[in-house]
């Protein structure tokens, strides 16, 4: 069974970097696309970006040059780094898999989410 | 970016009632739309993709439809386990964008 698990610090200071790991079991990240999504307090959801099976990336322009998604195929993990965070980056962060075939453009498996608070 | 306007923001309904949630896209997105359900404390679960296709394991009381750039999710007979927040997601273009969510509660 495909499982995704986010991990990382729950508290980050303003202006610092937020770094999260998504550990995947039951499926290789060298297949499919893998994304990061966040849910703000108040329930708004935002697509942040993805990394593909080949390592190519795509990011939400709203995050400009602050975001980076990378991977370690030997550990079957992919990572999110968000620089220069502010309190507006406080959210629950999810990693998710894009499906295959007819589900190619949709998230079919999600991690349980990790809450990150930006505060001094 | 494509804007997805979801309504209502909240909804209170009775058991066995028919519930309808809608999303209006700011431009043509074809059938590139999904619906997700998020139960309290859980991650989102795919319900509908391609605007009308039921995801594996999803009860048949859920259905999706499209009229132009308006998309609807219908729950034919509301059950207790359907309580949660529902989101639409457009998969037509980057950046992917979500509707604002509909919080569904029991009356």
């Amino acid at each position: 069974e495909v499982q995704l698990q986010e991990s990382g610090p729950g508290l980050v200071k303003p202006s610092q970097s937020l770094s999260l790991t998504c550990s995947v079991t039951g499926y290789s990240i060298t297949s499919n696309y893998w994304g990061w999504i966040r849910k703000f307090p108040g329930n708004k959801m935002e697509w942040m970006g993805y990394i593909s099976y080949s390592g190519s990336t795509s990011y939400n322009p709203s995050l400009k040059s602050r975001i980076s998604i990378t991977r370690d195929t030997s550990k079957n993990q992919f990572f999110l780094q968000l620089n220069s965070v502010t309190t507006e980056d406080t959210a629950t962060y999810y990693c998710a898999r894009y499906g295959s075939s007819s589900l190619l453009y949709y998230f079919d498996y999600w991690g349980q989410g990790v809450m990150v608070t930006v505060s001094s | 970016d494509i804007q997805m306007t979801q309504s209502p923001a909240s909804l209170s309904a009775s058991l066995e009632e028919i519930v309808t949630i809608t999303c209006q896209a700011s431009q043509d997105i074809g059938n590139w739309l999904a619906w997700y359900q998020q139960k309290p404390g859980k991650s989102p679960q795919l319900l509908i993709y391609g605007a009308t296709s039921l995801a594996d394991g999803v009860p048949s009381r859920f259905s999706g439809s499209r009229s132009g750039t308006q998309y609807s999710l219908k729950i034919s007979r509301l059950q207790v386990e359907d309580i949660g927040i529902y989101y639409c997601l457009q998969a037509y273009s980057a950046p992917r964008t979500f509707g604002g969510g509909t919080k569904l509660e029991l009356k």
Side-chain angles (χ1 to χ4, degrees), chain A residues 5 9 16 18 29 46 52 64 72 75 101-102 107 118 120:
Chain A
Q5 174 82 49
Q16 293 189 344
L18 177 162
I29 64 168
E46 180 181 61
S52 76
K64 298 179 181 177
D72 183 338
K75 295 182 178 179
S101 186
S102 56
F107 302 111
V118 179
S120 54

Side-chain angles (χ1 to χ4, degrees), chain B residues 51-73:
Chain B
T52 61
S53 297
L54 199 65
D56 287 348
V58 176
S60 58
R61 63 180 179 276
F62 290 92
S63 62
S65 63
R66 171 194 174 190
S67 177
T69 56
Q70 181 166 293
Y71 301 81
S72 298
L73 173 71

Side-chain angles (χ1 to χ4, degrees), chain A residues 39 43 94 103 105-107 111, chain B residues 32 36 38 43-44 49-50 87:
Chain A
K39 180 178 176 178
N43 297 328
Y94 296 93
L103 294 179
Y105 298 99
Y106 305 100
F107 302 111
Chain B
W32 297 102
Y36 289 87
Q38 187 171 28
S43 56
Y49 65 95
Y87 295 94

